[in-house]
Structures are given as structure tokens and as C-alpha cells.
Amino acid sequence: MYSAILFILILWEVRGSDDFITKYDKYNSVCKRMGYQDKRCEEREIIAFHARLSTHQKDLKDKEVVVFADVTLNTGNAYNATTGKFTASVRGHYSFTWTIATQSGAWFSTQLVINGKPISYNHVNGKAHGANHETGSSFAILKMEKNDVVSIIMYQTGEIAYGLWSSFSGFKL
């Protein structure tokens, strides 16, 4: 409210376009010294990634990280294709989604974890519907601190996840 009143008082005294710009610059300077920032004038750092399994994943063990090594996008370099882990470079809210595809007669169960704590689950059951391949997707929005780590890990065990048809992606909101 104080900022709005200050702005109106500055505009009240404006006599010409040069005077307006000078007064606006002073107003902006005062606001910045008070801690206010015009987010529209700053370029936001984009953090986003998308990766797929590079090969079929078979017989992974409970809590083993599912590594999506075929990276198609990694703006901000927060996703590590070697470890399969996403590390938040800044505090904020992040959106994650992952899809697992399995073959007929097989199943694959995963969970999304933040710093090792389970948040969301995904179970794909190719045994339930005859000769069909099956897919399953899950989604989560997380509040993360800088250096928090998110990954997809096995839940119990899994038989097979199809490479290139299974993916993991995320971005900062």
C-alpha cells in the first residue's frame, strides 16, 4: 500500500515526459532499496529436463535407482544422466512426471522419492490384460529446497521396463 501511495505522489508531481522518467527511476530505486523487485523485469532461470531409458531395464532390486540415461532436454543441468538423480539448484516448487512401459506378462513398480522419502508410486501390470503391453504414469508437485534430490527408484522388484518408451521429466514452476 505504501508503494502505491508513493507512486501516486511521484506521478502527481510529473510535469513532462523527461520529468516522469526521472521520477519513475527514483521511485524504482526507492522500491529496490526497500527490498521490492519487479520480477517481470528479471529473466527467470529455466530449469527443465526430459530423459528416457536408453535400454530395457530388467530385474532391478528394491530401492535401486532407475536411471533414465537418454537425455533429450536438460536446461539448467539439474538432472544427472549417470546417477538418474535430479538436484534442485534453487529453492522452489517443481513438477515431475514419469511413465513406465512394460511388456505383456511382466510388471514394474516404481516410486518417486525426495531425499530418499517416498512421495508417489507407479505400478504397471502387464500380467493383467493378456497380450497387451502396458504403461503407467504418475505425477507430483514438490516444494524443494536448494540441493534436495529427486529420483525414481524401484518399489520392491520389477521384471522389465521398456527403453525409449519409459521416461522421466520435471521442471521448476
Side-chain angles (χ1 to χ4, degrees):
M1 184 69 174
Y2 176 73
S3 300
I5 293 170
L6 179 62
F7 185 64
I8 291 170
L9 290 175
I10 290 171
L11 290 179
W12 187 270
E13 296 181 15
V14 172
R15 292 184 178 80
S17 63
D18 289 340
D19 196 29
F20 172 78
I21 292 171
T22 302
K23 300 276 185 185
Y24 179 77
D25 286 343
K26 287 180 183 176
Y27 163 77
N28 230 0
S29 176
V30 168
C31 289
K32 285 183 180 178
R33 284 193 304 254
M34 291 172 58
Y36 295 101
Q37 295 179 2
D38 184 359
K39 296 288 186 184
R40 292 171 291 160
C41 293
E42 296 177 8
E43 186 176 330
R44 288 181 15 166
E45 180 182 5
I46 296 174
I47 301 168
F49 78 96
H50 180 263
R52 301 178 299 187
L53 292 179
S54 56
T55 61
H56 298 334
Q57 300 293 301
K58 297 180 181 180
D59 301 318
L60 299 179
K61 305 298 180 234
D62 188 34
K63 302 202 181 356
E64 188 173 345
V65 175
V66 180
V67 178
F68 297 83
D70 182 15
V71 177
T72 58
L73 175 73
N74 197 9
T75 305
N77 296 313
Y79 180 74
N80 184 320
T82 303
T83 64
K85 296 179 180 183
F86 173 89
T87 304
S89 56
V90 295
R91 180 180 180 220
H93 291 83
Y94 291 80
S95 172
F96 296 95
T97 187
W98 77 104
T99 298
I100 300 293
T102 193
Q103 69 185 22
S104 171
W107 61 275
F108 207 82
S109 293
T110 55
Q111 57 186 337
L112 181 137
V113 297
I114 180 169
N115 301 324
K117 178 184 173 190
I119 300 296
S120 187
Y121 297 84
N122 183 348
H123 177 74
V124 184
N125 186 355
K127 294 181 178 190
H129 300 291
N132 295 323
H133 290 64
E134 297 292 331
T135 61
S137 296
S138 287
F139 173 79
I141 295 176
L142 304 174
K143 183 176 181 180
M144 298 180 71
E145 299 296 326
K146 183 176 181 177
N147 296 321
D148 279 351
V149 177
V150 167
S151 60
I152 304 299
I153 66 172
M154 290 303 303
Y155 179 70
Q156 299 174 349
T157 61
E159 295 174 322
I160 185 169
Y162 271 6
L164 302 182
W165 293 88
S166 300
S167 63
F168 178 35
S169 60
F171 58 92
K172 183 178 182 299
L173 299 172

